[in-house]
Amino acid sequence: MSEIRHRRGDGDGNDKAENAGESDHVDSEEEKVLEEKYVDELAKSLPQGTDKTPELLDSALSGLSSRWRNWVIRGIFTWLMIGGFCLLIYGGPLALMITVLCVQVKCFEEIINIGYAVYRVHGLPWFRSLSWYFLLTSNYFFYGENLIDYFGVVINRTDYLKFLVTYHRFISFSLYCVGFVWFVLSLVKRYYMRQFSLFAWTHVALLIVVTQSYLIIQNIFECLIWFIVPVSMIICNDVMAYVFGFFFGKTPLIKLSPKKTWEGFIGGGVSTVAFGLLISYMMSQYPYLVCPIEYSESLGRMTMDCEPSTLFRLQDYTPPQFVQPLMKVFGREKFNMYPFMIHSLALSIFSSVIGPFGGFFASGFKRAFKIKVYNLKPEQQLQLFYALKESLENRNILNMIP
């Protein structure tokens, strides 16, 4: 009898486990459906672009067709942004460094908000707080490395900063360990997989955003030309691709961005190469743009005065055999150029061929999550609330609450 009872007990336990498993499976399936429904509704409700223009500008351009109105508006804001970029360059390395940090934070916010917008329906704890904590920790490590490399002499002269310099990497590691423990303590049994997915999501975002900005800032400290020329090439490629596509575009380039054309891609590429060589030749003549940031013992401050390296000095070059007949037409056998222009040529080709695909990647990234704008407005939060309420009522979960 005891054996029968024992078996019956085992059977009851197995039945309960199976029922619990089925219940969890049903819940997970229902949650998945709810999640997909929420993302679809969110994608439809969120604004899909930035077509709104100031009323004054809109009324001034009311006589133009929508195509030419878009052309004029883009032209105005392009020149405004170029002017702002020139002001930042005039502000020097510190202004550029702060700008890179601001762009980094904004990019990280958008990437993290994608994950949060998709998974917020589950109410996972501490996701955004942990993400921002890891961002601060990463920036403390990378920016600290930069400051120690370039401002180590100055920092070591300040007594209360010596400790931070000496133990910088240990402090960075300790801060990361705190975040790691925080994440483990925040784990919720039912959402392990989603939480680990978001943990990985945060670290991939840090790898893409923070590491990239760290390398950009290193370029700024090496000398401004290594930052200005590549960024200017990307701007030129984007602008000229739009111009050529606007006037001559007929052949679609890629399905991800239907408005992109082969004519714009090729025209933007050729323009970028020519622009890159021209701007490199001009900028190589100014010590302010080609000198690294260094600490001067005699002046007691950071300076950007130096004897330009051979990379920024004119040198004679003998052209290849097939170009020499053309050179003889102009009565010359050699030509002068800055060695940096060879680097510029490689950078311009890279910007023309690979640069546009960065935009395609971002476009595909957003469409993969069916979201264009990620910050929920109050009315969209209410929409989420009512969607959750409806789902909970349909599953009789609200009725179970005493």
Side-chain angles (χ1 to χ4, degrees):
M1 290 293 291
S2 61
E3 226 176 281
I4 293 170
R5 281 176 194 163
H6 180 66
R7 286 178 187 174
R8 195 175 289 170
D10 286 348
D12 291 342
N14 291 334
D15 289 343
K16 287 178 182 176
E18 285 176 12
N19 291 335
E22 286 175 9
S23 176
D24 287 346
H25 179 70
V26 170
D27 284 348
S28 63
E29 287 297 324
E30 288 179 352
E31 284 173 357
K32 195 175 291 184
V33 170
L34 176 62
E35 181 182 305
E36 290 174 359
K37 179 183 177 183
Y38 163 63
V39 172
D40 287 336
E41 289 178 357
L42 181 63
K44 291 173 185 175
S45 64
L46 291 175
Q48 297 295 309
T50 53
D51 295 331
K52 292 184 179 179
T53 56
E55 291 183 10
L56 181 63
L57 187 59
D58 199 39
S59 60
L61 302 175
S62 58
L64 298 174
S65 65
S66 59
R67 184 168 181 263
W68 281 101
R69 187 185 306 160
N70 187 41
W71 164 270
V72 173
I73 291 169
R74 281 175 178 258
I76 292 170
F77 284 101
T78 296
W79 284 110
L80 286 174
M81 292 180 73
I82 290 173
F85 183 57
C86 292
L87 283 175
L88 289 172
I89 294 169
Y90 180 76
L94 182 60
L96 291 171
M97 181 175 166
I98 293 170
T99 303
V100 171
L101 177 61
C102 292
V103 172
Q104 175 215 96
V105 169
K106 185 61 181 174
C107 290
F108 184 79
E109 180 189 19
E110 289 203 356
I111 294 172
I112 290 304
N113 279 346
I114 292 174
Y116 183 68
V118 172
Y119 286 116
R120 69 180 297 162
V121 70
H122 304 294
L124 302 182
W126 299 113
F127 167 59
R128 286 204 297 190
S129 300
L130 273 167
S131 298
W132 287 109
Y133 176 81
F134 281 122
L135 177 67
L136 290 173
T137 302
S138 303
N139 276 325
Y140 176 81
F141 172 72
F142 283 115
Y143 278 74
E145 291 286 310
N146 264 329
L147 292 173
I148 291 169
D149 288 343
Y150 292 97
F151 300 97
V153 177
V154 182
I155 294 171
N156 279 318
R157 289 184 175 182
T158 309
D159 292 334
Y160 64 87
L161 291 178
K162 281 184 179 179
F163 175 82
L164 296 177
V165 173
T166 305
Y167 298 103
H168 171 69
R169 293 182 180 179
F170 175 75
I171 294 170
S172 301
F173 178 72
S174 300
L175 289 172
Y176 181 83
C177 288
V178 170
F180 178 76
V181 172
W182 183 4
F183 167 73
V184 173
L185 293 175
S186 72
L187 289 172
V188 178
K189 184 177 180 180
R190 192 173 180 180
Y191 298 122
Y192 285 161
M193 184 58 70
R194 289 188 177 91
Q195 286 183 282
F196 276 102
S197 297
L198 290 172
F199 185 73
W201 179 275
T202 300
H203 282 69
V204 170
L206 292 172
L207 178 66
I208 294 172
V209 176
V210 179
T211 307
Q212 189 174 187
S213 65
Y214 165 72
L215 296 174
I216 289 171
I217 288 170
Q218 278 207 318
N219 281 348
I220 292 172
F221 281 126
E222 285 298 322
C223 60
L224 292 181
I225 197 170
W226 285 112
F227 172 78
I228 297 169
V229 169
V231 172
S232 299
M233 286 176 180
I234 295 295
I235 294 170
C236 174
N237 183 261
D238 195 40
V239 170
M240 296 310 295
Y242 175 74
V243 170
F244 277 89
F246 184 87
F247 288 106
F248 309 108
K250 292 181 180 177
T251 314
L253 174 63
I254 188 169
K255 289 182 179 179
L256 269 175
S257 297
K259 293 182 180 179
K260 305 293 184 184
T261 62
W262 276 104
E263 292 80 5
F265 181 76
I266 295 169
V270 173
S271 302
T272 303
V273 171
F275 171 80
L277 293 173
L278 178 62
I279 195 173
S280 298
Y281 182 84
M282 293 171 60
M283 289 189 171
S284 296
Q285 303 174 39
Y286 298 96
Y288 175 76
L289 300 174
V290 301
C291 289
I293 303 173
E294 295 175 342
Y295 182 79
S296 172
E297 292 281 356
S298 57
L299 297 174
R301 60 182 175 84
M302 307 303 295
T303 63
M304 296 175 68
D305 295 324
C306 68
E307 186 67 28
S309 67
T310 54
L311 201 60
F312 304 106
R313 296 178 189 172
L314 283 171
Q315 295 185 20
D316 291 331
Y317 287 89
T318 303
Q321 289 281 342
F322 66 90
V323 181
Q324 286 182 4
L326 182 63
M327 295 293 293
K328 288 179 180 178
V329 173
F330 296 97
R332 302 185 66 178
E333 295 183 355
K334 296 181 179 181
F335 63 93
N336 293 331
M337 65 177 287
Y338 294 98
F340 178 74
M341 294 174 70
I342 299 173
H343 293 269
S344 176
L345 180 63
L347 288 171
S348 62
I349 292 172
F350 180 87
S351 301
S352 303
V353 178
I354 307 299
F357 284 88
F360 302 152
F361 175 83
S363 180
F365 191 73
K366 290 179 180 180
R367 292 184 186 189
F369 290 90
K370 304 176 184 178
I371 296 173
K372 279 283 187 180
V373 179
Y374 315 111
N375 294 326
L376 289 175
K377 296 178 181 178
E379 59 268 22
Q380 291 159 351
Q381 293 176 10
L382 283 172
Q383 181 184 353
L384 171 63
F385 168 75
Y386 288 127
L388 284 171
K389 183 181 176 184
E390 181 185 353
S391 173
L392 293 171
E393 287 175 346
N394 291 338
R395 290 185 285 167
N396 292 322
I397 293 177
L398 283 181
N399 300 330
M400 296 167 61
I401 300 174

